[in-house]
Amino acid sequence: MQASLVLLSARLLDPATGGFLPETALAVSDGRIAALGDDREIRALAGASTTVLDLAGAVLAPGFVDGHTHPVHGAELTHGLDLSACTDLAEVREALAAGIRELAPGAWLQSWGLDPNAFGDLPVSSAALAPVLDEAPALLQLFDAHSALASPRALEIAGVDGPRSFDQAAEVVCDDAGRPTGLLLEDAAVELVASAAPQPTYEEQRGRVAEVLRAMAATGLTGGHVMDAFGHSLSFLADLEAAGELPLRLRVAPWCQPGIDDDGVRALIEQQGAGGRLWRTDGVKLFMDGTVDNGTAWLERPDCHGESTHAFWPDPEAYTRVVRDLHRAGVPTATHAIGDAAVRHALDAVEKAQAEHGRLRAAGGARHRIEHIETVPDDTLPRFAELGVVASMQPTHCCDFTRADHTDNWSRRLGEERAARAWRCRDLWDAGADVVLGSDWPIAPYPPLTVMAGARHRRPTRDLTEPPHGPEQALTALEALRAVTLAPARVAGEGHEAGGLTVGHRADLTALAADPLTTPATDLAEVPVLLTAVGGRVTHRVAGVG
């Protein structure tokens, strides 16, 4: 055997045990780990065409996987002005004014990352940003990507002058006189205005996606569980792979929306398995609710504004039937469920499907999942393990969008009891659930070290001296590592070939300058990523490595 890649002088980190393997080097052939050994043994497997890199004592781990990400949709949403650093209305107005000054005449202002906490006690509305937004057509995506704020001129261009009806829980928010306030809740409402804005070309979109994926690889990501596929998404992935420019291994779950008929469900089933060498369609993404921050979550009791009382599916039993049909066909589902009622209903749907058709018979043993799980009562916790449902969590949302003293919008809406059970990673882990960590980018930053750090310290990323929100829900360093390596592989039915440094496993690898298990949680995000490889192909390498 002649290796294609040889990595020497490494500390090989085993996430199963948390210790280092006795070997110091590995060889890659045909995209898989072909041999482990000492430097002398592995160097002997190199030939004239082999890439040989000396890691000089760096920690080499199985490649990090983002358990919930939107690289293609995120590349579209994050084009424009970044408002994520703005903490109050004065900062938002200043950033918008600067952005508008740079616009060409008639051009739209697109922005993203707007935090509703910046509005304080004021309603989220375009009036709060007057007069800055009065003349320019603008669409400001809120940080949750489930809502947006449109300027009066943008509403006028889109012809949105009053309330609308939708097949899903979406809303053009209007005042008492029936005039739109600018706030658009959920995709169906946002799309009314977004579709009226100038659209990028296919090549522009493809270029943005390629740029995002390269940046992700540079943070140590080797893969992602992608929770959307619409428009040209899959074409972009196919084009990038054909050009040798796809640096991540992606598992894609297309959306399934309310109103889907039997033909639509059959089409989703038939689409399963389609893809290429580094990407494939595997699973279906559904939504049971929206978000707490904009009042569209589904709660067992209303929030402080009397909102968040309805499911995203106007008929929740229609969702249950779709889950049953997908389950019967062996298709794993991933359900967005943030509120307690939404999580409970999603679990009930899986339980009913299993009662009728047995456990899920998906390829490789992939399983049903629930995404987000932001607040749930005690009786929900053991059901994840009992039903084999994966808990897909994004603790950095708790870090960056809530506060330990519960003065943030999310916590105030829920009240003390429900805010005190925020992102129960520890409790779900202890209850036996498979916990997978992800970023939900572009909602939160995608670097996996930041995600692991947040799961451990639960502090605001901007200021790590602030107190943690629910420190009792923190994961240990080893648990956080497993949740981005072993767990994503296992729940996707890939545990036999991914998630470990084992001969025969795919050579998806991440090299770090320090041990993530002994680095303090508050320092972890700053650890340099020295090398990333997918299938033995180096997708990122810092100068001086090798």
Side-chain angles (χ1 to χ4, degrees):
M1 177 203 75
Q2 179 174 303
S4 59
L5 174 68
V6 161
L7 300 177
L8 304 172
S9 302
R11 291 182 289 163
L12 307 183
L13 182 58
D14 179 11
T17 65
F20 291 106
L21 299 176
E23 296 86 0
T24 60
L26 64 76
V28 176
S29 180
D30 294 326
R32 295 182 180 268
I33 299 172
L36 300 172
D38 61 32
D39 285 12
R40 180 186 57 80
E41 293 169 330
I42 299 303
R43 189 185 291 275
L45 301 176
S49 61
T50 304
T51 299
V52 179
L53 300 175
D54 189 326
L55 294 184
V59 173
L60 188 65
F64 298 154
V65 175
D66 191 323
H68 185 122
T69 186
H70 303 271
V72 178
H73 192 38
E76 175 187 347
L77 289 179
T78 57
H79 178 66
L81 185 65
D82 181 1
L83 298 176
S84 61
C86 298
T87 59
D88 58 35
L89 280 180
E91 292 180 356
V92 174
R93 292 190 187 107
E94 182 179 357
L96 291 175
I100 288 172
R101 284 195 296 270
E102 297 178 4
L103 289 178
W108 282 59
L109 178 68
Q110 303 271 5
S111 76
W112 59 283
L114 179 60
D115 188 341
N117 285 300
F119 289 77
D121 294 329
L122 293 176
V124 178
S125 68
S126 58
L129 299 175
V132 178
L133 283 187
D134 286 354
E135 301 301 326
L139 186 63
L140 319 180
Q141 296 283 345
L142 271 71
F143 79 83
D144 62 7
H146 281 252
S147 49
L149 192 58
S151 69
R153 179 61 180 142
L155 293 170
E156 180 183 2
I157 292 172
V160 178
D161 56 7
R164 299 288 181 92
S165 297
F166 302 97
D167 292 332
Q168 55 191 244
E171 182 182 0
V172 175
V173 177
C174 296
D175 61 20
D176 293 341
R179 295 183 298 261
T181 66
L183 183 59
L184 308 167
L185 302 181
E186 300 300 333
D187 285 336
V190 174
E191 185 59 23
L192 293 175
V193 177
S195 61
Q199 303 300 309
T201 67
Y202 181 91
E203 288 303 318
E204 288 171 336
Q205 290 176 292
R206 179 189 180 281
R208 292 175 193 169
V209 173
E211 182 180 358
V212 164
L213 292 173
R214 286 193 299 271
M216 287 181 166
T219 67
L221 283 172
T222 64
H225 295 174
V226 178
M227 294 297 161
D228 56 59
F230 49 86
H232 297 300
S233 295
L234 301 184
S235 295
F236 294 144
L237 301 184
D239 286 357
L240 291 172
E241 183 169 55
E245 299 177 27
L246 187 59
L248 268 68
R249 195 182 302 275
L250 301 174
R251 179 176 184 259
V252 183
W255 281 5
C256 177
Q257 298 273 35
I260 192 170
D261 58 16
D262 291 343
D263 289 340
V265 174
R266 276 193 294 272
L268 287 170
I269 294 170
E270 292 167 359
Q271 189 179 2
Q272 299 300 301
R277 187 175 63 86
L278 289 178
W279 68 277
R280 75 176 189 277
T281 304
D282 190 5
V284 170
K285 169 74 179 298
L286 304 99
F287 293 82
M288 201 64 250
D289 65 353
T291 69
V292 170
D293 279 289
N294 68 22
T296 58
W298 187 17
L299 300 173
E300 294 181 336
R301 303 191 314 276
D303 67 16
C304 71
H305 300 299
E307 298 176 338
S308 285
T309 58
H310 302 293
F312 183 72
W313 291 61
D315 177 8
E317 290 310 310
Y319 159 89
T320 301
R321 291 190 293 272
V322 170
V323 170
R324 176 201 63 196
D325 293 345
L326 293 169
H327 176 93
R328 181 172 54 198
V331 177
T333 61
T335 296
H336 169 119
I338 280 178
D340 44 19
V343 173
R344 191 182 302 281
H345 190 91
L347 290 168
D348 289 346
V350 171
E351 185 172 24
K352 290 176 182 177
Q354 291 180 353
E356 292 182 30
H357 303 290
R359 288 277 176 152
L360 181 66
R361 296 182 296 277
R367 288 187 276 136
H368 295 302
R369 308 159 50 120
I370 297 181
E371 311 295 318
H372 309 309
I373 318 167
E374 292 185 5
T375 178
V376 287
D378 291 346
D379 68 319
T380 336
L381 303 174
R383 298 186 66 194
F384 282 83
E386 291 166 3
L387 298 172
V389 172
V390 177
S392 176
M393 309 286 286
Q394 299 79 45
T396 44
H397 296 194
C398 183
C399 296
D400 291 343
F401 304 125
T402 72
R403 302 178 189 132
D405 63 3
H406 296 168
T407 58
D408 59 279
N409 180 57
W410 185 92
S411 300
R412 286 186 287 115
R413 276 183 174 268
L414 289 177
E416 284 298 315
E417 176 190 349
R418 290 179 293 195
R421 57 192 195 207
W423 285 269
R424 300 180 72 173
C425 299
R426 167 88 277 135
D427 290 342
L428 282 161
W429 191 288
D430 289 347
D434 259 315
V435 177
V436 173
L437 295 181
S439 67
D440 196 17
W441 188 80
I443 311 306
Y446 51 69
L449 291 176
T450 299
V451 173
M452 286 190 282
R456 292 167 55 185
H457 63 58
R458 294 176 68 98
R459 298 173 184 270
T461 305
R462 293 190 190 97
D463 185 356
L464 294 173
T465 66
E466 289 290 320
H469 187 170
E472 72 281 357
Q473 294 300 330
L475 298 181
T476 68
L478 181 56
E479 288 165 348
L481 176 66
R482 288 173 175 170
V484 299
T485 53
L486 288 171
R490 184 169 56 243
V491 306
E494 299 172 343
H496 63 290
E497 62 176 355
L501 298 180
T502 304
V503 172
H505 275 211
R506 297 189 302 227
D508 297 350
L509 309 165
T510 302
L512 306 172
D515 182 356
L517 301 185
T518 58
T519 300
T522 51
D523 296 335
L524 184 60
E526 302 306 317
V527 170
V529 177
L530 304 179
L531 177 138
T532 314
V534 174
R537 178 171 68 93
V538 175
T539 56
H540 163 72
R541 179 171 56 151
V542 300
V545 171

